[in-house]
Amino acid sequence: MAPDYRISLQKLEVFCKVAELGGVRRAAEELYVSQPVVSAHLRSLQERLGAKLFHPEGRGIALTEAGERTLLWANEVLRGRLELEKDLADLSDGLSGFVSVGASITVGNRILTPAVIDFKLANPSVSVRLEISAVETALEQARLGRHDFAIVATDAVLDSRAFDSELVAEPPWAVIAAPNTTFPDMVTPKQLAKLPFVCPPGGMAIRRSQDNALASIGVTDRRVEIELGSAESIKQAVVADIGVAMLWRESVQADIEAGVLREVRVTGPAIRDKLFIVRRTGNRLTPLQKRLLDQLRRVIEERLGESTLSSSAIDGGATTS
């Protein structure tokens, strides 16, 4: 007859204690239960396994060969229980687990990558994935639940039926030019509209964000000289003096300070982008995911300096744009 493995952990604990101490009486004293209770557990365990686990030895009992094999198995099960308890406790405390983050390109490369690396170094037992992609891809992966949350730069209206979103920063755009260009250091929006531009391709989220930001200061039609798909290629075209371009000031500040690029100031209010933390509607974050999100939020505030909402927005009742 096959063994019946519907065995409680308590029976295994009693069995291991009897094997360790070599007798029912001493095990009962150690476990603070009566001897009949210990004997009943042993009897039930032997019946379920269909094997004799002990034989008399002097005034005590000793393990049979089947008992020795059972003891190895029981110790492994109990050790696994303790490991599970620790793992669950670590999960509850946010000390272990897995988190997947999506990010649009500029914020992912410039701000989130160093922060995620620091988080991993400080928490070696956690598993972290940061996937940097186009805004549309990051949002779709978040909608499907493949990312626990995404951090994207967009001014698109996010579907409140699909996403909970938190506006965390409004990064300023910088208009950049070649260092020795004839373009002036300061222009009005009307003058800006007449300058040649290096732009991301039409249809990309970054292009729409730029167009909408410029429209807010009255610039609705740009002279597009060339369209390029990455910040680095755009900067190369600007250095070659093909035209001016708009990129986050955060991503070009070092180049401006080094004299590789020059900023063309625009009169009037600052031209800003919008940065959101986004997750699928109803998706509750684990303690680990919340810890990483809080750390990334702090880094964003430190680097971009324009936090717009409280840190409780996405954890409690998120606002939606």
Side-chain angles (χ1 to χ4, degrees):
M1 184 177 68
D4 181 355
Y5 288 108
R6 292 174 296 175
I7 300 167
S8 69
L9 294 176
Q10 184 183 18
K11 282 183 172 53
L12 297 183
E13 289 172 335
V14 169
F15 167 69
C16 290
K17 185 59 67 175
V18 171
E20 175 190 345
L21 300 177
V24 171
R25 179 182 62 80
R26 293 175 63 188
E29 292 173 352
E30 186 89 6
L31 295 169
Y32 298 101
V33 297
S34 66
Q35 293 185 49
V37 168
V38 172
S39 297
H41 278 301
L42 295 180
R43 185 165 53 252
S44 174
L45 179 60
Q46 291 185 126
E47 289 171 354
R48 288 188 179 275
L49 294 177
K52 185 176 180 180
L53 304 179
F54 295 95
H55 60 74
E57 187 175 82
R59 294 185 177 182
I61 54 177
L63 291 172
T64 63
E65 184 176 359
E68 294 282 1
R69 299 290 182 88
T70 301
L71 180 63
L72 292 173
W73 169 73
N75 280 327
E76 189 66 28
V77 170
L78 295 176
R79 184 162 46 250
R81 187 272 307 273
L82 294 175
E83 291 173 356
L84 177 60
E85 288 177 354
K86 181 182 182 302
D87 288 345
L88 294 178
D90 287 347
L91 286 171
S92 297
D93 294 337
L95 300 176
S96 67
F98 172 74
V99 54
S100 175
V101 182
S104 53
I105 295 169
T106 300
V107 70
N109 288 330
R110 299 288 304 180
I111 298 175
L112 301 188
T113 294
V116 167
I117 291 171
D118 288 344
F119 187 83
K120 173 61 180 178
L121 290 173
N123 301 271
S125 62
V126 308
S127 297
V128 184
R129 179 174 64 203
L130 173 63
E131 185 174 320
I132 299 171
S133 64
V135 171
E136 294 83 355
T137 300
L139 289 175
E140 178 64 8
Q141 296 290 64
R143 186 188 68 80
L144 295 173
R146 293 172 184 164
H147 293 324
D148 301 304
F149 58 88
I151 301 179
V152 295
T154 180
D155 67 351
V157 176
L158 301 175
D159 186 352
S160 61
R161 296 167 299 177
F163 299 114
D164 290 334
S165 60
E166 174 192 353
L167 179 62
V168 287
E170 294 185 313
W173 293 104
V175 178
I176 54 173
N180 298 319
T181 184
T182 58
F183 301 141
D185 292 333
M186 179 79 72
V187 296
T188 65
K190 186 175 181 179
Q191 291 171 324
L192 179 64
K194 296 179 180 179
L195 297 181
F197 265 88
V198 180
C199 294
M204 291 185 67
I206 185 174
R207 175 69 174 270
R208 293 193 298 270
S209 293
Q210 289 183 358
D211 288 344
N212 290 335
L214 288 170
S216 72
I217 61 170
V219 178
T220 57
D221 187 22
R222 284 192 275 177
R223 281 180 51 197
V224 178
E225 295 292 329
I226 188 172
E227 295 180 319
L228 297 170
S230 72
E232 288 306 311
S233 60
I234 287 172
K235 285 193 282 188
Q236 289 180 40
V238 170
V239 170
D241 205 14
I242 291 179
V244 300
M246 279 177 61
L247 292 172
W248 277 14
R249 181 170 287 116
E250 165 69 22
S251 68
V252 296
Q253 190 64 45
D255 295 310
I256 293 171
E257 292 173 357
V260 177
L261 297 170
R262 178 165 64 86
E263 183 171 7
V264 176
R265 300 282 180 174
V266 182
T267 60
I271 312 170
R272 296 189 179 277
D273 201 359
K274 294 179 180 179
L275 184 66
F276 289 92
I277 296 173
V278 181
R279 62 184 172 89
R280 185 173 62 178
T281 298
N283 180 33
R284 291 284 180 180
L285 300 181
T286 67
L288 170 66
Q289 293 159 6
K290 288 180 181 178
R291 282 184 60 225
L292 178 56
L293 175 58
D294 288 343
Q295 181 163 324
L296 296 181
R297 187 189 282 113
R298 286 193 298 271
V299 170
I300 289 168
E301 291 175 0
E302 291 169 2
R303 293 286 295 273
L304 300 179
E306 291 292 338
S307 178
T308 57
L309 293 179
S310 70
S311 62
S312 62
I314 200 167
D315 300 329
T319 61
T320 303
S321 171

